[in-house]
DNA sequence: TAGAACTCGGATAAAGACTGTCCGAGATCA
DNA sequence: TGATCTCGGACAGTCTTTATCCGAGTTCTA
């Protein structure tokens, strides 16, 4: 690990990247795709990716199908799944900034009866998080697939579909 | 720990809250304030708060003064210090979403020569983080102090100044 | 209808980050 | 000169994240 990487503190689980790419891949297949196939395609540990897919299943984003022809598939059209849903399913739906109410502690503690409204600092942090969430809510899995396809001059998604069909 | 707290995944260090409140407090004092005094006022572990104040010192937000009348003081007027600077100093200045470039792995790996531009997914996540950062960049420590004062009907900051002077 | 193979699902260890604490180096004042 | 107070980085404990495994359930085949 390089020095630069060590200075950077990781705040979001790296599984978010795998989950988003997996959703984009699933949007290109009409049939269920096994977790092991997705892991091979993305070069990730199979068992760990499966754990994240389970989280997506609990969130209602994907549906699992057991058996020989089983696997994972999207429950809704890709245009109706926002990136925010995927991130929240993996990383947790709680706020990143958690107010401990330290204003109610110490010699100058504010009485609880005056703390009906959140602290001004907590309000500012919550507003920033809302802006972050809104930016992600406006992007759908279909948008991401289209952009990746455009970056590859319209060859990437077709290659994915071909690979999925060939190794079925 | 309650069940609700366990469901919420903590992504941001809670030291961010202590640092922001400490900066607001420091903005109300013309003289250096020792870390132990700030810890007593906020009801936090003294040694751990000191560690975070050291991080603020490295970032150039506060200046430390050793000796009997030493302590911490802001290096600039509170109106020129953004909340984003404080958050970045404590939680790290790296992006929360870290792209691992998984598109360059696996059987359908994209050649590196085609990866000059970041992945579309990474771009969307970066745009969301920019929105978050912009919201925090527009808020200064002086703004937060004014809002906390307004919430307390103009008594909070005066009480802080009085307490700091009385216990000097 | 019985069998076999393939899949998901949760339960189980190892690693790293955050939390919390300590004592020494340095500076100021008497 | 000495004492006292301050910061600063170095030291353990706890929790989340990472990674992995084997059993339960389902589907196709003979
Ligand atoms: S008391 Fe939690 S942010 Fe002010
Ligand atoms: S390769 Fe990292 S987000 Fe697409």
């Amino acid at each position: 690990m390089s020095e630069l990487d060590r200075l950077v503190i990781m705040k979001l689980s790296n599984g978010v990247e795998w989950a988003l790419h997996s959703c984009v891949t699933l949007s290109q297949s009409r049939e269920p795709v096994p977790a092991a196939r997705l892991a091979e395609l993305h070069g990730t540990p199979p068992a760990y990716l499966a754990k994240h897919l389970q989280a997506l299943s609990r969130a209602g984003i994907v549906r699992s199908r057991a058996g020989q022809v089983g696997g994972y598939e999207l429950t809704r059209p890709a245009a109706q799944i926002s990136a925010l849903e995927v991130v929240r399913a993996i990383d947790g739906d709680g706020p990143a900034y958690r107010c401990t109410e330290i204003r109610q502690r110490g010699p100058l503690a504010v009485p609880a009866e005056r703390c009906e409204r959140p602290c001004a600092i907590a309000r500012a942090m919550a507003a920033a998080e809302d802006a972050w969430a809104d930016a992600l809510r406006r992007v759908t899995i279909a948008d991401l697939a289209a952009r990746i396809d455009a970056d590859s001059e319209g060859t990437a998604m077709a290659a994915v579909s071909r690979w999925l069909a060939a190794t079925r």
Side-chain angles (χ1 to χ4, degrees), chain A:
Chain A
M1 181 179 268
S2 72
E3 280 192 15
L4 191 100
D5 287 341
R6 192 184 307 213
L7 291 177
V8 174
I9 296 180
M10 181 173 57
K11 286 173 285 188
L12 249 58
S13 170
N14 72 349
V16 173
E17 184 181 11
W18 304 352
L20 285 169
H21 272 273
S22 294
C23 285
V24 170
T25 300
L26 288 178
S27 73
Q28 301 302 314
S29 173
R30 281 292 166 199
E31 301 174 4
V33 182
R37 205 62 44 86
L38 286 170
E40 183 189 358
L41 179 59
H42 297 89
T44 62
Y48 193 26
L49 178 66
K51 187 173 181 61
H52 288 314
L53 291 172
Q54 288 169 25
L56 262 62
S57 179
R58 289 191 213 107
I61 297 172
V62 302
R63 177 185 298 275
S64 64
R65 199 106 186 152
Q68 281 186 323
V69 295
Y72 286 97
E73 60 187 350
L74 297 179
T75 59
R76 283 169 282 166
Q80 294 178 18
I81 300 176
S82 69
L84 180 64
E85 286 183 73
V86 178
V87 175
R88 286 250 162 94
I90 301 297
D91 196 55
D93 51 357
Y97 181 79
R98 189 165 54 92
C99 172
T100 317
E101 290 292 338
I102 64 175
R103 61 179 175 177
Q104 297 185 31
R105 302 169 62 177
L108 268 65
V110 178
E113 61 200 35
R114 288 236 172 163
C115 291
E116 304 166 0
R117 196 168 307 173
C119 174
I121 293 176
R123 290 203 302 267
M125 298 299 289
E129 274 194 54
D130 285 346
W132 174 82
D134 284 343
L136 253 56
R137 203 191 328 268
R138 294 194 198 98
V139 181
T140 69
I141 297 297
D143 294 334
L144 293 174
R147 292 178 195 176
I148 291 175
D149 209 37
D151 287 348
S152 292
E153 297 166 2
T155 62
M157 292 300 109
V160 169
S161 297
R162 207 177 314 137
W163 187 85
L164 287 174
T167 60
R168 187 172 61 84

